[in-house]
Amino acid sequence: MKDQPLTIRSWPQGILHVDADAFFASCEQAVHPELRGRPVITGKERGIVAAASYEAKAMGVKRGMRLFEVRRLCKDAAILPSDYETYSLFSMRMFEILRRFSPEVEEYSIDEAFVDLTGLRRSFHGSYGMIAENIRQTIEKELGITASVGISLSKVLAKIGSKHNKPNSCTIIPGRDIHLYLRPLPIGSIWGIGPNTAAFLNKHGIHTALQFAEKDEIFINKYLSRPYQAIWNELNGRSVFPVTTEAKNSYQSISKAKTFTPPSDDEIFIFAQMSKNLENACIKARRYNLAATRLIVFVRGQDFRNYGVEIKLTLPTSYPYYLMGALKGGFTKVYQANTPYRQTGVVLAGLVPDDGSRYTLFDDIPKIQKMANIYEAVDRLSAKYGKHTVHHGSSLPTKQQAQHEGGREDVPLRKTELFKGENKRQRLGLPMLNIKI
DNA sequence: TCTGGGGTCCTAGGACCC
DNA sequence: TCTGGGGTCCTAGGACCC
């Protein structure tokens, strides 16, 4: 077999998973005490439920539900726009609490973390279960939000634990009890097993997590790829996924997509959405000092399928000015006239550190330097006066549309000299800067 | 069930080389 | 020109996650 054997740690682990309960909604309730005990929903800005408090869930509200449906289900629901800055603060404070217990904390997402407690029982004078319960209580006491924790021998088992008795729960899964927890769980509910793999396993008579865990290694290695072999080991109490401490400070790719309701077949409008996506993605890339070597342009039609092309860039860049030509080219390939689209998106891929040293003999270095200066200024202005204070003229038609829809971008626009003849230039794919005053 | 906006990693297969 | 073995790199696309 060409595959390397999986590395399995041979000593017993104490892996904790922390999962905040209805995180966004809980943060709102912690900040606004008058909302406690009431159904709270966030996601107002997108028109769908991003998070629902347990009071709202009890009334049948689900993630992704349209807000008009929510209003029908519970009239007294507080529907709020998502306030990511506040949630990030709560998130950081939660991680800070966890680091008091162990330096090995993996910030898995805004509301989830893994903590490796292996070897710490002695210093806390108690069992892993007691440490876990202590962590849960500290979060509740200090942050005013609740979390569910699970502790076991591996990350996959810890995840099962935190989900077991949500909300506000602490579940310990010792090695000898693993089978009790796995028996009732459908295989598709296991972290890392999606609908496709679940369907495949069902065909082989595997329906529960326990049946999967009990399957012999020969079967697992013959029919499944490495990630699933790893899950199989983890379910059997053999830890293979390490708790990774490094904070995320880079990206493989950066994407931006926007769905519009209703769908549109207006080429100018759709391209403007693209252009805006590109600018947003570039802003993020510049913030992390990254430059793209590939640009992916895609649209999604009413059939919910994505149609995209990938364009290789001659020079790594994070400046829309240099990407506008590629964007236009990609768009022309992907866009079909008289077809309604519901979404556009771009992906900046093949990201490399933007150290400014990647030029060839033929590049116009003074011009590149000038662009760098311009965008540096753009980023500074945006930081000071808000996103898109300065943007490309080709992104403008989205604003007009937003006004029609009564969207949030209702700042009146004043056209400057630069902005004249927008459509013509835009059709030609010429990049432009438009200054919003 | 198909909600929306981010992401990651893995694998198979082709191109190319010796 | 084809035969065969073997390796590496890249890309497209699949599958999952929150």
Side-chain angles (χ1 to χ4, degrees), chain A residues 48-93:
Chain A
I48 56 160
V49 177
S53 71
Y54 278 84
E55 296 83 358
K57 284 181 182 168
M59 303 178 81
V61 175
K62 299 220 161 66
R63 266 175 59 98
M65 197 177 260
R66 311 243 171 216
L67 290 182
F68 64 82
E69 288 178 75
V70 172
R71 293 194 185 93
R72 229 181 306 160
L73 275 171
C74 49
K75 291 188 180 59
D76 64 332
I79 300 176
L80 311 167
S82 299
D83 172 11
Y84 290 95
E85 276 174 50
T86 299
Y87 311 150
S88 296
L89 266 136
F90 272 85
S91 180
M92 284 159 57
R93 291 185 58 194

Side-chain angles (χ1 to χ4, degrees), chain A residues 98-402:
Chain A
L98 300 179
R99 270 188 276 271
R100 282 184 228 158
F101 289 85
S102 167
E104 286 180 64
V105 173
E106 177 177 338
E107 302 180 4
Y108 183 70
S109 73
I110 194 166
D111 65 338
E112 275 182 56
F114 291 97
V115 186
D116 193 340
L117 296 173
T118 307
L120 295 178
R121 279 176 293 196
R122 197 170 309 166
S123 48
F124 286 100
H125 308 293
S127 65
Y128 287 141
M130 287 169 67
I131 305 172
E133 174 59 16
N134 192 349
I135 288 173
R136 188 196 66 72
Q137 287 177 14
T138 308
I139 291 169
E140 186 174 10
K141 194 162 51 181
E142 293 192 18
L143 301 186
I145 64 170
T146 66
S148 296
V149 303
I151 183 150
S152 190
L153 297 169
S154 67
K155 286 170 104 173
V156 173
L157 290 171
K159 261 217 158 221
I160 290 170
S162 65
K163 208 156 69 169
H164 178 68
N165 224 353
K166 235 176 179 322
N168 203 10
S169 63
C170 176
T171 303
I172 303 143
I173 306 183
R176 62 178 180 278
D177 291 344
I178 292 173
H179 62 286
L180 300 177
Y181 288 88
L182 299 193
R183 191 161 11 239
L185 290 181
I187 186 61
S189 71
I190 299 303
W191 184 43
I193 310 258
N196 261 284
T197 311
F200 171 80
L201 292 172
N202 287 168
K203 281 225 160 53
H204 283 87
I206 299 166
H207 296 93
T208 70
L210 185 61
Q211 288 171 334
F212 179 64
E214 285 178 341
K215 207 75 191 167
D216 59 287
E217 190 167 12
I218 295 174
F219 172 89
I220 299 295
N221 290 345
K222 184 173 172 193
Y223 290 108
L224 299 169
S225 62
R226 307 254 308 154
Y228 303 99
Q229 298 168 15
I231 291 168
W232 176 78
N233 275 299
E234 290 246 325
L235 284 173
N236 279 293
R238 297 184 289 270
S239 176
V240 286
F241 294 138
V243 173
T244 39
T245 309
E246 307 92 61
K248 178 155 193 64
N249 57 10
S250 196
Y251 289 92
Q252 303 293 312
S253 68
I254 290 171
S255 61
K256 290 284 170 190
K258 209 79 177 181
T259 301
F260 23 94
T261 51
S264 166
D265 62 356
D266 176 350
E267 183 175 357
I268 303 279
F269 169 71
I270 297 167
F271 184 73
Q273 293 285 347
M274 274 289 187
S275 172
K276 197 170 155 189
N277 286 328
L278 180 68
E279 289 196 80
N280 285 332
C282 285
I283 287 167
K284 186 163 172 184
R286 292 199 296 274
R287 199 174 341 133
Y288 286 90
N289 262 316
L290 295 167
T293 58
R294 304 194 312 268
L295 172 70
I296 296 155
V297 179
F298 66 89
V299 293
R300 177 179 284 217
Q302 286 184 307
D303 58 358
F304 269 88
R305 284 198 48 191
N306 280 336
Y307 300 91
V309 288
E310 182 168 331
I311 300 127
K312 272 201 200 108
L313 306 169
T314 48
L315 179 72
T317 186
S318 56
Y319 303 137
Y321 177 87
Y322 288 114
L323 291 165
M324 214 40 93
L327 185 76
K328 188 75 193 170
F331 179 77
T332 315
K333 276 192 190 153
V334 137
Y335 170 81
Q336 308 236 316
N338 306 318
T339 310
Y341 290 102
R342 58 194 324 277
Q343 184 187 57
T344 66
V346 303
V347 184
L348 299 179
L351 294 175
V352 295
D354 193 2
D355 55 7
S357 66
R358 227 166 267 278
Y359 309 127
T360 72
L361 268 179
F362 305 101
D363 295 321
D364 183 350
I365 292 170
K367 189 171 174 192
I368 291 169
Q369 193 53 54
K370 213 186 276 177
M371 285 323 284
N373 293 339
I374 288 174
Y375 279 106
E376 212 174 285
V378 168
D379 288 341
R380 270 205 304 274
L381 282 169
S382 300
K384 204 163 173 183
Y385 299 108
K387 226 168 154 190
H388 302 297
T389 302
V390 184
H391 59 82
H392 278 251
S394 53
S395 301
L396 200 68
T398 62
K399 306 253 166 192
Q400 293 161 341
Q401 178 86 7

